[in-house]
Amino acid sequence: MNFSEVFKQSNQLCKVSPDGKYLATCVQYRLVVRDFNSLQIAHLYTCLDPVMHMEWSSDSLFILCAMYKRGLVQVWSLEQPDWHCKIDEGSIGLVSSRWSPDGRHVLNTTEFNLRVTVWSLCTKAVSYIKYPKACQKGVDFTADGRYMALAERRECKDYISVFVCDDWHLLRHFESETQDLAGLEWSPNCCVLAVWDNCLEYKLLLYSLDGRLLSSYSAYEWSLGIKSVAWSPSSQFLAVGSYDEKVRILNHITWKKITEFEHPATIINTKAVVFKEVEKRPVVGSEDLSIHQLTVDNSLFSTQSKYEITQLPAQVPVIKPDPDRANPKIGISALAFSADNRFLATKNDNMPQSLWVWDMQRLSLLAVLEQTAPVRCFVWDPRRPRLALCTGNTKVYLWSPAGCVSVNVPVEGSFQVLSLFWHCSGSSLVLLSKEHICLCYVEAEEEK
Amino acid sequence: MSPSRLYTASVMPPLPLSSFNVSSNFCTEENISECILYINQELSSLCFPPIFQNSDSIRDLDAVVALNNIHDLLQLHRRAVGMMEELEVEQLKSSSDLHYQHLTNSRLKDQLELSKKENMRLHERERQLETNLKTLQNCLKDTKEEVQRLQGIIASRAIQYNHDIKRREREHNRVKERLNQLLIAKKENKQGMEVLNYVGRSDGRRCLWKTGKTESRHEGDMYKTLLSEFDNRQRELMVENIELKKVLQQMKREMVGVLNSKKMSQKEEKQSNDMDQTNSDDDELLKGHPEMSCDHAREKLTNSIRQQWRKLKHHVERLDSQASMVQDEDSEEVISKQLHEEEMERLKLEIQQCKEFIETQQQLLQQQLNTPCDEETAAVLNDSYMLEEKERLKEEWKVFEEQRKNFEMERRNFTEAAIRLGHERKCFEDDRAMWLKHQFLNTPFADQMKPQSRMADEFSKHSGREEKLISISGKVSKSHL
């Protein structure tokens, strides 16, 4: 595994272009576009204010930089570096900004979610969408980029609008049977929209593309409900994570639960493997502690770690959540399917140091990774069944069905990996610390 | 308990006075004396003075005494009757008492029965009430737990609501502030977009205007997407369905095969014949249309599979029970017992053979270990082998050493020879150079060939080792020319 040198970034803004050729990072008010393979700076743009949000267009030709404080959005072109576009929302303010799937429209959400303005880069047309709902996930585009679903709230009722992204024509507008819609997500095959209620009521609704209610699912009443939802890439399964520390898998034929995955504090399932991260501190003799060594050789302070397999039954460390706080830290907050549909990774908030990997073919627990610090971020390789995770220390961890490995980021000073993502080819990882990024080139084969 | 009973049972009727008639059967004209005697006796036995004394005359009765006796007798009689009457009365009384006691006894017995029953009933009731109490206590506990759980839920929901309300209130305040700002602010910050030039669409086409046609096209596109998705899914499900049907049919065939191959009783054979019949029916039905999901065929298939499976299960269970029964008693199925026994015998024999084999092996091994019992000879033998080896190695070593020495010597000779050769060559070179110099300086141009030949003659005198130098010198001289 090779590591590149370190580059600066601010606000964790670092994105790879959809075609994988460029890497864009924001450093305060500068936008730096590098060629991904050589890491040479290809373009440099200057915005009017520190950038809060940056996004590539789907065809990798344009980059959007949003500055919420000033209510500005600037769009830059890669083909024509001197092309410029500035969208000023004025006194109405700006809360979020995103591309449309065709890469030619910018959707701005104004402050207080008053409306969504659709700016076109092709024509002078401007569209407005009223009463958008401010919730966990109120807007979603289909994978083929043809339709957009938007959650609306009018007169204390939830509605869903489906727009055709071609010309922003309102295809369907129907009332949603939720009490307080928290999020919606299209299935990867673009035909089913999953809509879920907020945590006070466990309710998951499935609407067809034409607005018909296909099915409704509710596992239990009264206790806190759904925390996270994820579609499998083949649209076969819908994983629903809830506050009762369980993940329920629904199937796409009957929309009924086929199984539920529990996250118990004691693991007795003999088919599962529990990997525990064990830190080993290097032994330091007193003669070695010279100033020179301390400054140059940072391996003195960085601890090596490796994975050990724990005997079953194994105990998973649990942290009890504060009962007096809202949105308690309990329940399944993150779910991710692997690209080949075979694995599901979950994180239970009251076991923050553990990551659970489930085998979707056998519908059972495959592995549990127990880290020394709470897991901050985990992402699947877009090509292979390989999972990368980080816990905020100087290491990056990789799991694959063959085993798992922990790698120290060999950067001078310490590089605390706060988040990471894969390049679309799956051959490299981009690691982000508070103010820097580092690329990690990963080989196809993994060793234990 | 009726009085008549009382009287009739215990009392004899009193002697009726009217039964006394004048003509008694006791005394007649003939036996007066006997009667008198008899009466005297009787009177004397009763301690009455005799009415008649021993005298001569037969009919000499003492009238006074007789009258007294009669009077006494009458009194006695009266007294006796009185006593009898008293006794009768007393008897009546006691019998009525007894009767009464009987009655009370039976009454009390009945009462006792009743109270016992009542007691049992009360016990039973108490027991039921106790069980009721227990269940109610359990219910209470469950309800309390439920209540606690619901209270917890309510508390968390309340926290969530409060959090939400606070958030909304904060947002509301922010909106109000912003509204105030906007009302106060004089500068109108208009929103707009400035762009250098409009870019083309990513797919290169022109933007279309919104018309009714585009709307219907959108609808059409949407339904097409949905339909294609449904088609895909239906195709997949059909393929899966066909696969599963094939598997089921195969399973059924195999089950039938398994059931038929076992040695069964006639009854089972008959059943299997029936099964065959149904099987052939199913096969016929399904052969023609394997892909059509005809409800009737589908049901028949699943039912027949269930039947076969049940039969197989019964068969296996029966076999299991047979196996267990054989151990206890003489079972009905003689065949299986025989088989079982044969098997057992065979296994026992095998075990015996194996044991014997192991024993012989053990013995041989022991022998092997024991034969070098005098360890000295063994050691000597070993040593002798070792010595032989050693001797051989020593000899070889000697040979190698000699060869090495020879090689060394030869190498030394070679080096010396090489050194000498070098020296000689050097000298030769010097000489040649000198000689050439002389020749060149001395000989005229006409005699070019001669010095060459002369040089050749002179050189040929030298040893064969310097043949190379001839060619070199030849070259040198040629170069001069």
Side-chain angles (χ1 to χ4, degrees):
Chain A
M1 229 180 277
N2 294 327
F3 289 85
S4 75
E5 56 183 59
V6 163
F7 304 107
K8 270 178 106 49
Q9 51 87 357
S10 62
N11 272 338
Q12 310 277 300
L13 288 172
C14 173
K15 301 242 167 86
V16 174
S17 65
D19 60 1
K21 287 193 202 149
Y22 296 103
L23 175 74
T25 45
C26 283
V27 187
Q28 293 301 318
Y29 52 89
R30 274 215 164 98
L31 173 66
V32 181
V33 179
R34 293 169 195 275
D35 177 75
F36 192 83
N37 294 323
S38 63
L39 292 177
Q40 299 292 323
I41 296 182
H43 302 282
L44 192 62
Y45 307 99
T46 311
C47 299
L48 296 167
D49 214 36
V51 178
M52 306 291 291
H53 175 71
M54 184 257 292
E55 199 177 322
W56 281 91
S57 69
S58 55
D59 52 5
S60 309
L61 292 178
F62 296 96
I63 301 180
L64 169 161
C65 294
M67 292 141 269
Y68 297 145
K69 274 200 206 112
R70 284 205 29 193
L72 281 175
V73 175
Q74 282 186 280
V75 185
W76 304 101
S77 160
L78 251 65
E79 283 181 322
Q80 292 178 280
D82 48 350
W83 185 88
H84 62 86
C85 169
K86 184 174 81 160
I87 301 171
D88 190 348
E89 287 292 341
S91 45
I92 207 163
L94 184 64
V95 157
S96 90
S97 177
R98 54 164 61 85
W99 281 107
S100 71
D102 63 356
R104 295 291 178 272
H105 294 86
V106 176
L107 284 90
N108 283 347
T109 311
T110 62
E111 210 167 344
F112 310 115
N113 279 76
L114 280 175
R115 65 175 184 219
V116 173
T117 322
V118 184
W119 299 96
S120 167
L121 296 178
C122 313
T123 67
K124 288 195 195 146
V126 183
S127 313
Y128 297 102
I129 303 173
K130 285 208 290 185
Y131 312 115
K133 184 156 189 199
C135 53
Q136 188 189 3
K137 189 167 178 192
V139 182
D140 195 32
F141 295 100
T142 55
D144 57 5
R146 290 211 296 197
Y147 303 103
M148 173 178 94
L150 179 79
E152 296 178 15
R153 184 107 180 157
R154 289 171 209 245
E155 287 150 34
C156 308
K157 279 194 220 158
D158 287 319
Y159 293 87
I160 296 173
S161 299
V162 180
F163 292 92
V164 181
C165 294
D166 230 6
D167 52 3
W168 305 106
H169 157 69
L170 177 65
L171 189 67
R172 285 284 187 278
H173 178 82
F174 50 92
E175 189 179 338
S176 160
E177 285 179 22
T178 49
Q179 289 283 344
D180 186 6
L181 198 152
L184 39 75
E185 190 162 329
W186 288 103
S187 67
N189 68 359
C190 315
C191 292
V192 181
L193 183 67
V195 175
W196 59 94
D197 221 329
N198 84 341
C199 58
L200 288 172
E201 182 166 343
Y202 194 125
K203 200 182 216 172
L204 183 82
L205 298 166
L206 289 139
Y207 287 97
S208 160
L209 176 59
D210 57 345
R212 287 174 299 127
L213 176 65
L214 294 172
S215 175
S216 159
Y217 177 72
S218 173
Y220 52 79
E221 276 192 310
W222 307 125
S223 299
L224 291 179
I226 299 175
K227 200 161 185 184
S228 57
V229 171
W231 283 98
S232 76
S234 63
S235 310
Q236 252 183 313
F237 303 115
L238 180 61
V240 184
S242 46
Y243 279 90
D244 67 345
E245 306 182 55
K246 285 191 198 159
V247 176
R248 290 172 176 86
I249 308 284
L250 310 183
N251 77 86
H252 72 309
I253 299 179
T254 60
W255 300 117
K256 298 248 186 306
K257 175 185 87 168
I258 50 174
T259 187
E260 57 183 48
F261 293 146
E262 284 189 13
H263 295 74
T266 314
I267 302 168
I268 30 180
N269 181 353
T270 49
K271 295 217 181 92
V273 184
V274 179
F275 293 101
K276 192 175 156 124
E277 189 198 356
V278 163
E279 280 190 340
K280 30 182 187 163
R281 291 184 181 282
V283 175
V284 175
S286 54
E287 316 88 61
D288 295 338
L289 280 171
S290 63
I291 300 290
H292 175 72
Q293 287 236 314
L294 280 172
T295 48
V296 169
D297 191 7
N298 73 326
S299 65
L300 215 58
F301 287 120
S302 71
T303 52
Q304 295 293 317
S305 78
K306 63 178 176 74
Y307 281 105
E308 271 179 6
I309 297 185
T310 321
Q311 287 288 335
L312 293 166
Q315 288 288 119
V316 179
V318 176
I319 295 179
K320 278 201 119 172
D322 186 359
D324 295 329
R325 293 199 60 164
N327 298 322
K329 285 217 172 323
I330 185 171
I332 312 301
S333 61
L335 295 165
F337 277 96
S338 67
D340 61 356
N341 236 357
R342 290 231 183 105
F343 304 104
L344 172 68
T346 62
K347 182 179 161 215
N348 188 1
D349 269 351
N350 61 334
M351 300 164 181
Q353 296 179 353
S354 305
L355 195 69
W356 304 63
V357 183
W358 307 83
D359 184 344
M360 289 308 289
Q361 279 186 312
R362 291 200 195 90
L363 290 177
S364 67
L365 181 63
L366 185 62
V368 177
L369 275 70
E370 202 186 300
Q371 309 292 127
T372 50
V375 175
R376 282 188 71 107
C377 177
F378 59 96
V379 255
W380 286 99
D381 183 331
R383 295 275 176 90
R384 291 165 211 87
R386 192 162 56 171
L387 184 66
L389 57 137
C390 66
T391 61
N393 56 12
T394 59
K395 299 182 193 59
V396 71
Y397 306 92
L398 285 154
W399 175 89
S400 75
C404 44
V405 73
S406 114
V407 184
N408 216 358
V409 180
V411 166
E412 271 188 35
S414 69
F415 188 93
Q416 313 272 3
V417 184
L418 296 181
S419 78
L420 42 72
F421 59 90
W422 289 90
H423 184 258
C424 50
S425 68
S427 59
S428 45
L429 268 169
V430 179
L431 312 171
L432 282 88
S433 75
K434 191 153 179 287
E435 309 235 302
H436 295 93
I437 58 160
C438 174
L439 267 73
C440 166
Y441 301 98
V442 185
E443 290 101 36
E445 268 29 81
E446 279 307 318
E447 73 286 352
K448 193 163 188 284
Chain B
M1 281 271 270
S2 57
S4 58
R5 194 164 64 89
L6 222 56
Y7 287 104
T8 48
S10 50
V11 170
M12 276 189 352
L15 290 165
L17 282 165
S18 57
S19 67
F20 285 121
N21 35 11
V22 178
S23 58
S24 176
N25 300 343
F26 176 61
C27 184
T28 51
E29 294 281 330
E30 290 91 39
N31 58 355
I32 287 174
S33 52
E34 281 105 11
C35 291
I36 289 169
L37 272 168
Y38 177 68
I39 283 171
N40 263 349
Q41 275 178 359
E42 291 284 320
L43 282 171
S44 61
S45 72
L46 288 171
C47 303
F48 281 121
I51 53 166
F52 182 61
Q53 282 175 10
N54 252 347
S55 63
D56 304 325
S57 61
I58 304 166
R59 306 191 196 172
D60 214 4
L61 285 168
D62 195 356
V64 175
V65 177
L67 284 168
N68 281 335
N69 286 346
I70 287 169
H71 177 73
D72 288 337
L73 281 172
L74 281 172
Q75 278 197 330
L76 266 175
H77 175 75
R78 222 174 270 135
R79 232 185 295 143
V81 167
M83 271 182 19
M84 207 172 72
E85 280 181 3
E86 278 175 33
L87 283 172
E88 277 179 4
V89 164
E90 274 199 42
Q91 198 202 14
L92 275 174
K93 266 197 225 164
S94 58
S95 67
S96 74
D97 270 344
L98 185 64
H99 186 68
Y100 176 71
Q101 289 299 323
H102 275 306
L103 284 176
T104 46
N105 194 23
S106 58
R107 190 169 51 81
L108 285 171
K109 271 190 188 163
D110 287 339
Q111 263 188 0
L112 186 67
E113 282 291 320
L114 274 173
S115 47
K116 271 189 188 163
K117 276 191 196 156
E118 185 76 15
N119 200 20
M120 293 241 317
R121 195 172 62 79
L122 287 170
H123 270 303
E124 184 65 30
R125 201 150 155 260
E126 194 186 317
R127 199 180 54 79
Q128 279 178 354
L129 286 172
E130 258 178 51
T131 50
N132 262 2
L133 181 69
K134 270 198 198 106
T135 47
L136 283 172
Q137 275 177 343
N138 283 342
C139 276
L140 180 68
K141 202 163 61 123
D142 290 340
T143 318
K144 274 191 185 156
E145 279 172 22
E146 184 77 13
V147 162
Q148 268 187 336
R149 191 179 70 86
L150 287 171
Q151 276 177 342
I153 288 170
I154 289 172
S156 69
R157 285 177 82 90
I159 289 166
Q160 207 67 28
Y161 283 132
N162 287 337
H163 176 81
D164 225 13
I165 280 184
K166 279 191 195 131
R167 195 167 51 89
R168 284 183 207 273
E169 209 179 308
R170 269 183 242 128
E171 195 173 329
H172 187 68
N173 286 335
R174 278 204 307 266
V175 172
K176 280 200 279 200
E177 271 176 45
R178 175 55 80 82
L179 197 58
N180 274 329
Q181 267 180 10
L182 287 173
L183 286 171
I184 295 167
K186 288 180 192 144
K187 188 171 83 168
E188 269 243 7
N189 225 350
K190 262 214 144 106
Q191 57 160 187
M193 178 169 92
E194 346 169 334
V195 64
L196 187 64
N197 57 276
Y198 288 109
V199 287
R201 280 161 59 105
S202 52
D203 49 2
R205 291 187 309 180
R206 281 165 168 269
C207 303
L208 298 167
W209 285 349
K210 277 191 197 176
T211 59
K213 217 165 77 168
T214 55
E215 283 184 28
S216 53
R217 192 170 53 84
H218 286 314
E219 289 277 320
D221 280 340
M222 176 187 80
Y223 284 122
K224 263 187 225 161
T225 328
L226 281 174
L227 272 172
S228 64
E229 186 60 32
F230 284 141
D231 275 337
N232 280 340
R233 207 194 307 165
Q234 205 226 359
R235 225 175 300 131
E236 278 169 26
L237 287 172
M238 280 285 290
V239 165
E240 209 180 313
N241 207 13
I242 290 169
E243 278 284 323
L244 289 171
K245 270 198 191 144
K246 276 192 208 148
V247 167
L248 277 175
Q249 278 183 334
Q250 199 185 356
M251 261 175 66
K252 195 179 74 167
R253 259 181 260 131
E254 279 176 19
M255 275 199 277
V256 168
V258 162
L259 284 168
N260 280 341
S261 67
K262 299 248 187 227
K263 289 183 188 151
M264 294 183 296
S265 59
Q266 284 184 353
K267 192 174 103 182
E268 289 176 51
E269 278 175 354
K270 250 194 259 164
Q271 279 183 354
S272 69
N273 285 335
D274 292 336
M275 277 175 345
D276 283 335
Q277 189 63 33
T278 51
N279 288 349
S280 57
D281 282 344
D282 289 333
D283 285 338
E284 276 174 21
L285 259 169
L286 293 163
K287 228 184 265 178
H289 313 277
E291 290 173 3
M292 277 172 50
S293 58
C294 173
D295 274 348
H296 181 61
R298 194 162 28 101
E299 264 180 54
K300 268 201 110 172
L301 176 64
T302 47
N303 285 339
S304 65
I305 292 255
R306 282 208 194 99
Q307 248 183 339
Q308 305 292 358
W309 176 242
R310 240 177 276 137
K311 279 175 190 146
L312 191 66
K313 213 167 60 165
H314 283 319
H315 191 68
V316 170
E317 277 167 7
R318 217 177 301 135
L319 285 173
D320 276 341
S321 60
Q322 275 175 12
S324 60
M325 274 189 331
V326 156
Q327 293 168 6
D328 304 334
E329 49 181 42
D330 281 339
S331 66
E332 312 90 45
E333 307 281 355
V334 176
I335 301 166
S336 55
K337 188 181 178 189
Q338 254 184 21
L339 274 171
H340 181 71
E341 289 207 333
E342 275 171 40
E343 194 73 24
M344 288 287 284
E345 283 300 316
R346 202 171 50 78
L347 287 169
K348 276 186 189 148
L349 201 67
E350 251 187 77
I351 290 171
Q352 192 63 30
Q353 281 173 354
C354 289
K355 273 192 187 152
E356 283 168 20
F357 192 59
I358 289 169
E359 265 185 53
T360 46
Q361 286 271 335
Q362 184 74 17
Q363 276 173 14
L364 283 168
L365 191 69
Q366 205 62 34
Q367 262 177 27
Q368 187 79 2
L369 286 171
N370 288 341
T371 34
C373 54
D374 44 340
E375 289 177 359
E376 292 163 353
T377 50
V380 163
L381 273 172
N382 282 341
D383 276 351
S384 65
Y385 290 138
M386 293 295 285
L387 266 171
E388 231 184 84
E389 287 265 342
K390 270 187 199 163
E391 295 277 300
R392 211 165 6 100
L393 281 169
K394 266 187 197 155
E395 279 172 21
E396 279 183 29
W397 195 255
K398 260 184 232 154
V399 167
F400 283 141
E401 281 290 327
E402 275 176 30
Q403 282 182 355
R404 194 161 64 83
K405 275 183 201 141
N406 290 342
F407 282 139
E408 279 281 312
M409 259 178 28
E410 272 183 43
R411 200 197 302 158
R412 237 179 284 131
N413 291 341
F414 278 137
T415 47
E416 277 171 27
I419 291 166
R420 239 185 301 126
L421 179 63
H423 280 310
E424 276 183 27
R425 195 181 289 165
K426 192 158 155 270
C427 297
F428 178 74
E429 282 287 332
D430 290 340
D431 288 340
R432 192 168 65 77
M434 290 287 290
W435 196 85
L436 275 173
K437 207 167 70 177
H438 284 305
Q439 283 292 325
F440 188 65
L441 288 170
N442 299 336
T443 54
F445 282 121
D447 289 312
Q448 285 306 325
M449 300 312 285
K450 278 190 195 156
Q452 214 176 12
S453 56
R454 236 188 291 159
M455 275 195 313
D457 287 335
E458 286 205 30
F459 286 161
S460 60
K461 287 179 199 163
H462 287 275
S463 62
R465 266 190 275 172
E466 289 151 283
E467 277 178 6
K468 253 198 268 172
L469 296 169
I470 297 168
S471 60
I472 293 168
S473 62
K475 277 191 196 149
V476 167
S477 60
K478 270 194 189 154
S479 70
H480 281 308
L481 302 164

